[in-house]
Amino acid sequence: MFYEINDLSVRKRFTRLNSGCLETGRCRVVFYRSILSYSVVFSAVMFRAFHRVISPSLRQAQLLSARIEPRMSWGHMLQLRSAASATFRFLEDSLEVSHGGTPMRFSYVWLRDHCRSASSYNSSTHQRSLDTGSIELTVRPESSAVEDDQLVLTWPDGHVSKYSLSWLAKNSYEGREKATEQPRVLWNANIYQNASISSIKWDTFMSCDNELKKFLQNYLLYGIAFVDDVPTTVEATEEVTQRVSLIRETTYGRMWSFTSDFSRGDTAYSQLALDRHTDTTYFQEPCGIQVFHCLRHEGTGGRTLLVDGFYAAEKLRQRSPEKFELLCRIPIRHEYIENTDNHRNHMKGVGPVLNVYSWNNELYMIRYNNYDRSVINTIPHDTVQRWYIAHRELTTELRRAENELWVKLSPGKVIFIDNWRVLHGRESFTGLRQLCGCYLTRDDVLSAARCFGLQA
């Protein structure tokens, strides 16, 4: 094992040394002067032997230097070479960790705030106990060490924090910047059909956790998932949805069942064809999951259209990154106004068409509904034309025939749609067609998946 240590105590103790060495029976210590300060590099079969030899001198030097400068010198380096090799460099305001070819930076305030000691963090509830508001914003560690592949920092108040290299790498900004939050398979009709995804059956789905896990995996990867052989009642549909998540009650109610009777002020309550769209764009947080179950259809037509909005958006990003960025940046208003004998509603939601995480530019939501898009008055005049051009290019991609997956929802087949990703529509139909369904809370679906060990 090799360590590199740079410490003011060594500098004070060996001020007359430009270079030199100290020999012991088991280790060789080499002193050299760097631009910033003196450093010590040593290699040892047994670090403890070195510690016994040099500790008295170091302790004496630390007592002397403490009167002059109580803190570590900045530029101090601590090098750990084991199964997971890393170098820690202490800068004026942050710690720099070099590991796997990627330098990572951690603010000292961040490090103190994320201490996982018993007094700072409740490991039973997974909640922070430390009062972040009490941390000095200029806090810096007084000393550092490496013990059992952990970085150990001692703070001015004597508190000791320990961080494993794997924890630092996992939680660094640089690590998250390259990581995928949710793995997905982007698809057009051909890709999805060739995936040959096996259907989930009602009876095993309701009784077997492995089937639920398989269902959730399909949903996470593709944004849609099916359960077959469900009894054709609203009650059975409600039961199967609650196996997955909590029902989100909206202005449409908890569970809804409708036909083409125009009972609500929405085009969905008709026999007309519906172009691809996502639902509830007029909510500040659009509903996460859409559930449909066709209870009966005595007529023709009515197939369901599905389009992977992320597949189309990524095509736009590859071809026209500046248009993709514009659709991520410009907020657009959506609106739902209903004024009938039984229902009065006026909903407004504002947000960009495309939403990405700021740290890795991963797409996480598309808000696309030409029916409910309101007056565009959130864009400066000199940007309006560019927005229409970008929106047109995305629309063209969404409407490509090869991106359209058409599914006939026969009685017994329940579909779960990721409303933040997959657009749905339908062809016009004739005859009596009765659908039921609901919205589900997105957070609880993702929570269920994580409890199965799935990345979501």
Side-chain angles (χ1 to χ4, degrees):
M1 182 175 291
F2 298 82
Y3 291 83
E4 183 175 347
I5 302 177
N6 183 344
D7 198 287
L8 273 176
S9 61
V10 177
R11 180 176 178 177
K12 303 296 182 182
R13 182 68 179 85
F14 301 103
T15 53
R16 289 178 293 177
L17 286 176
N18 284 328
S19 63
C21 67
L22 171 67
E23 296 283 354
T24 75
R26 295 178 180 173
C27 51
R28 182 172 184 268
V29 184
V30 181
F31 300 92
Y32 65 91
R33 186 167 187 165
S34 67
I35 295 174
L36 293 175
S37 57
Y38 287 90
S39 297
V40 181
V41 176
F42 61 93
S43 60
V45 177
M46 295 182 64
F47 174 70
R48 291 176 183 172
F50 166 78
H51 189 270
R52 285 196 300 270
V53 173
I54 201 68
S55 285
S57 296
L58 288 178
R59 280 196 295 270
Q60 182 182 357
Q62 286 167 349
L63 289 173
L64 292 171
S65 64
R67 301 170 190 168
I68 303 171
E69 186 174 358
R71 293 185 176 182
M72 297 186 304
S73 60
W74 308 117
H76 167 98
M77 294 184 67
L78 187 62
Q79 191 169 37
L80 165 65
R81 291 180 185 169
S82 59
S85 177
T87 299
F88 303 92
R89 188 159 72 102
F90 293 85
L91 306 176
E92 181 67 23
D93 61 349
S94 60
L95 167 68
E96 182 181 274
V97 181
S98 296
H99 171 60
T102 301
M104 300 170 284
R105 293 281 292 271
F106 301 92
S107 158
Y108 293 131
V109 177
W110 185 96
L111 286 166
R112 182 63 189 90
D113 186 43
H114 288 81
C115 176
R116 289 311 193 240
S117 67
S119 62
S120 299
Y121 184 78
N122 189 327
S123 58
S124 297
T125 64
H126 303 282
Q127 292 177 300
R128 180 180 286 99
S129 302
L130 174 67
D131 175 20
T132 303
S134 68
I135 302 174
E136 180 65 44
L137 295 178
T138 57
V139 69
R140 290 170 174 79
E142 288 282 0
S143 63
S144 64
V146 170
E147 297 176 3
D148 300 324
D149 287 352
Q150 287 190 317
L151 173 66
V152 181
L153 300 181
T154 302
W155 302 98
D157 61 359
H159 185 82
V160 176
S161 301
K162 298 182 179 182
Y163 314 88
S164 69
L165 178 60
S166 60
W167 188 91
L168 289 172
K170 177 183 177 182
N171 291 287
S172 70
Y173 173 81
E174 293 80 4
R176 299 312 308 170
E177 188 179 27
K178 297 178 180 179
T180 299
E181 293 298 317
Q182 183 179 320
R184 296 180 175 92
V185 176
L186 305 186
W187 51 267
N188 58 18
N190 188 54
I191 293 172
Y192 185 84
Q193 290 164 349
N194 288 338
S196 300
I197 302 168
S198 58
S199 62
I200 308 294
K201 301 298 184 182
W202 151 267
D203 52 352
T204 54
F205 177 74
M206 296 302 294
S207 60
C208 178
D209 283 348
N210 283 336
E211 287 297 289
L212 175 58
K213 181 179 180 180
K214 184 167 71 172
F215 168 91
L216 290 169
Q217 182 69 85
N218 290 341
Y219 171 82
L220 293 174
L221 289 177
Y222 297 97
I224 54 175
F226 298 87
V227 178
D228 288 336
D229 301 335
V230 178
T232 54
T233 64
V234 174
E235 293 74 20
T237 308
E238 180 176 6
E239 189 178 354
V240 76
T241 59
Q242 290 180 305
R243 176 79 166 127
V244 177
S245 179
L246 301 178
I247 295 174
R248 176 175 175 177
E249 188 165 0
T250 68
T251 183
Y252 299 105
R254 177 178 168 82
M255 292 290 299
W256 32 260
S257 177
F258 69 94
T259 61
S260 53
D261 58 2
F262 282 102
S263 60
R264 301 297 299 265
D266 193 291
T267 314
Y269 290 73
S270 72
Q271 293 181 328
L272 300 175
L274 294 176
D275 192 25
R276 62 225 72 200
H277 63 280
T278 59
D279 269 20
T280 61
T281 52
Y282 40 78
F283 287 176
Q284 281 299 103
E285 181 185 309
C287 293
I289 291 88
Q290 171 95 63
V291 179
F292 286 122
H293 186 191
C294 182
L295 300 180
R296 61 173 176 161
H297 183 198
E298 300 167 0
T300 61
R303 290 182 304 162
T304 297
L305 168 64
L306 301 167
V307 177
D308 187 351
F310 286 8
Y311 179 89
E314 290 298 344
K315 288 292 185 181
L316 175 65
R317 184 181 346 218
Q318 294 169 13
R319 188 168 52 247
S320 304
E322 71 289 347
K323 295 184 178 70
F324 179 93
E325 189 276 333
L326 186 69
L327 293 178
C328 291
R329 180 167 51 86
I330 300 298
I332 297 296
R333 193 185 312 277
H334 291 78
E335 195 168 22
Y336 175 66
I337 302 174
E338 183 180 29
N339 190 3
T340 65
D341 292 339
N342 299 319
H343 303 282
R344 292 172 61 85
N345 290 289
H346 190 171
M347 307 284 189
K348 285 186 179 182
V350 181
V353 175
L354 303 177
N355 294 262
V356 298
Y357 294 123
S358 60
W359 59 90
N360 66 355
N361 281 325
E362 179 181 336
L363 190 63
Y364 70 86
M365 181 170 71
I366 180 170
R367 187 192 294 248
Y368 184 100
N369 191 315
N370 203 54
Y371 299 102
D372 296 326
R373 181 164 45 80
S374 186
V375 175
I376 299 179
N377 53 17
T378 55
I379 307 177
H381 168 73
D382 58 355
T383 309
V384 170
Q385 186 69 16
R386 291 193 294 120
W387 185 89
Y388 274 110
I389 292 172
H391 187 269
R392 179 65 55 84
E393 192 164 336
L394 175 62
T395 299
T396 299
E397 191 64 44
L398 289 169
R399 291 179 175 176
R400 293 189 189 280
E402 60 267 28
N403 294 339
E404 298 178 344
L405 178 67
W406 290 92
V407 177
K408 180 66 174 178
L409 291 182
S410 55
K413 179 185 286 293
V414 176
I415 183 173
F416 293 74
I417 304 171
D418 184 346
N419 188 54
W420 284 21
R421 170 184 173 182
V422 176
L423 286 66
H424 66 278
R426 70 161 185 242
E427 64 180 354
S428 61
F429 63 91
T430 64
L432 176 64
R433 184 174 184 260
Q434 182 183 3
L435 258 69
C436 76
C438 62
Y439 297 114
L440 302 181
T441 60
R442 179 180 180 80
D443 290 333
D444 292 282
V445 172
L446 299 182
S447 173
R450 294 182 192 115
C451 289
F452 278 113
L454 302 174
Q455 185 177 344

